[in-house]
Amino acid sequence: MTPTVPRSSIFLVGFMGAGKTSVGRRVAARLGAAFADTDELVVEREGRPIERIFEESGEGYFRRVEWEALEALGGRSELVVATGGGLFLGLVARRWLREHGVTAWLDVPFAECLRRLGSGPARPLFHRVREPAEQRALYERRRATYALADVRVPGLGPEDEVAARLLGRLGLEVP
């Protein structure tokens, strides 16, 4: 039996370390859909890692390139997309995502995000904020916007279980 593939795209949103990329890959595989990650698209377009983009060109430049990468996906459907942690925060991007598919928030507790993020440089926005209270405040501010997503999916547990939970919330049949 062939899985039911959505006619529109699925956009995963959530905080850094929520598992958008790993869960998104599993969802796409189960649906037989294509997968894209906006962070990976930015790195590919720029030819340099995100931490260097932030360091050399700043967050504003990164956000512009991230938006361009997202817009380039606009003509495609039946796509699962892991978005960068800050992409859904902008009103224009949020509206665009809703026009092109369904948004799903992977909701993961702050402590788990911290554990997953570790201390590496790959998350420059998060690691520039050194104080735990400031990191938590960033997380809490973003949660209020993530809550505007079409569906909320608890993101704790094995990635396959989270993917199954997401598909269930979207009412998609997968063998």
Side-chain angles (χ1 to χ4, degrees):
M1 179 178 185
T2 305
T4 302
V5 180
R7 280 184 259 147
S8 63
S9 295
I10 299 170
F11 297 100
L12 302 179
V13 303
F15 200 68
M16 298 168 266
K20 299 178 298 284
T21 299
S22 54
V23 169
R25 287 186 197 284
R26 284 168 171 74
V27 168
R30 290 178 76 169
L31 291 172
F35 174 78
D37 180 304
T38 59
D39 284 347
E40 290 174 4
L41 293 172
V42 167
V43 168
E44 185 178 301
R45 287 172 72 121
E46 286 293 301
R48 55 188 172 151
I50 291 173
E51 57 270 18
R52 275 199 36 224
I53 296 170
F54 265 73
E55 193 176 286
E56 296 169 359
S57 304
E59 182 181 356
Y61 178 81
F62 170 80
R63 296 292 172 208
R64 189 174 80 242
V65 174
E66 181 182 48
W67 169 248
E68 291 167 359
L70 179 66
E71 272 191 312
L73 300 174
R76 299 178 63 186
S77 62
E78 300 180 3
L79 182 66
V80 177
V81 180
T83 66
L87 190 60
F88 192 67
L89 303 177
L91 181 60
V92 172
R94 199 164 49 248
R95 188 176 298 134
W96 189 97
L97 292 168
R98 286 204 174 114
E99 288 171 2
H100 290 84
V102 61
T103 56
W105 170 31
L106 292 186
D107 186 11
V108 176
F110 178 68
E112 180 62 15
C113 288
L114 272 182
R115 187 189 71 72
R116 292 177 183 179
L117 290 172
S119 60
R123 312 294 179 142
L125 183 62
F126 187 72
H127 293 298
R128 276 193 311 199
V129 180
R130 294 283 181 210
E131 294 299 316
E134 290 178 63
Q135 290 173 336
R136 186 170 214 23
L138 175 66
Y139 170 85
E140 293 298 338
R141 279 192 310 273
R142 288 185 170 195
R143 280 180 58 83
T145 303
Y146 298 148
L148 300 173
D150 297 312
V151 297
R152 177 193 164 271
V153 179
L156 282 180
E159 293 157 349
D160 285 327
E161 286 180 20
V162 177
R165 204 176 299 140
L166 169 60
L167 290 166
R169 289 280 293 135
L170 296 175
L172 298 173
E173 299 294 323
V174 179

